[in-house]
Amino acid sequence: ALAGLRAAYEKAIDQGDGFRAFNLGTEVGHSVREVVRSVERVTGRPVPARVGPRRPGDPPRLLAQAQAAKQDLGFVAGHRELDVIVETALRWRRNHPAGYGA
């Protein structure tokens, strides 16, 4: 993601276009259940979860559409395997317990 952020920043500076948002996702969807199971595998701990009906207004499916990042920046997300994504996020959080401000 850092490479994508750097590319977006440099493009904005070069073109002087100001702000433009890019979605840096993988275009691969995962259910909440899949994410919970991945977190359990990566951490080795159970995740307390409760299955319930879809809430009003919840979309049936969300996917990152990253074509603009690929076309305009040449950026393609590096990790597509859910366990790798979860492990990377967990490692970042452990190394930055106060978030970006640390």
Side-chain angles (χ1 to χ4, degrees), residues 1-2 7-9 11 17 28 30 40-41 45 100:
L2 188 55
Y9 174 76
K11 185 165 186 83
D17 291 343
V28 176
H30 300 284
E40 290 177 334
R41 280 191 304 273
R45 296 178 161 180
Y100 287 105

Side-chain angles (χ1 to χ4, degrees), residues 17-84:
D17 291 343
F19 176 80
R20 178 154 181 226
F22 288 94
N23 191 327
L24 302 179
T26 64
E27 298 185 345
V28 176
H30 300 284
S31 70
V32 173
R33 183 173 286 132
E34 289 172 320
V35 173
V36 167
R37 288 180 182 152
S38 177
V39 170
E40 290 177 334
R41 280 191 304 273
V42 169
T43 64
R45 296 178 161 180
V47 173
R50 190 166 40 108
V51 177
R54 186 181 310 249
R55 301 168 298 185
D58 280 351
R61 185 175 184 191
L62 290 175
L63 290 175
Q65 297 296 318
Q67 293 93 350
K70 183 176 181 180
Q71 179 181 355
D72 295 355
L73 307 174
F75 176 82
V76 178
H79 298 297
R80 296 190 181 273
E81 300 83 20
L82 185 56
D83 285 2
V84 174

Side-chain angles (χ1 to χ4, degrees), residues 38 42 82-94:
S38 177
V42 169
L82 185 56
D83 285 2
V84 174
I85 294 168
V86 169
E87 192 279 325
T88 302
L90 179 63
R91 184 174 353 118
W92 186 91
R93 186 67 180 145
R94 285 179 177 158

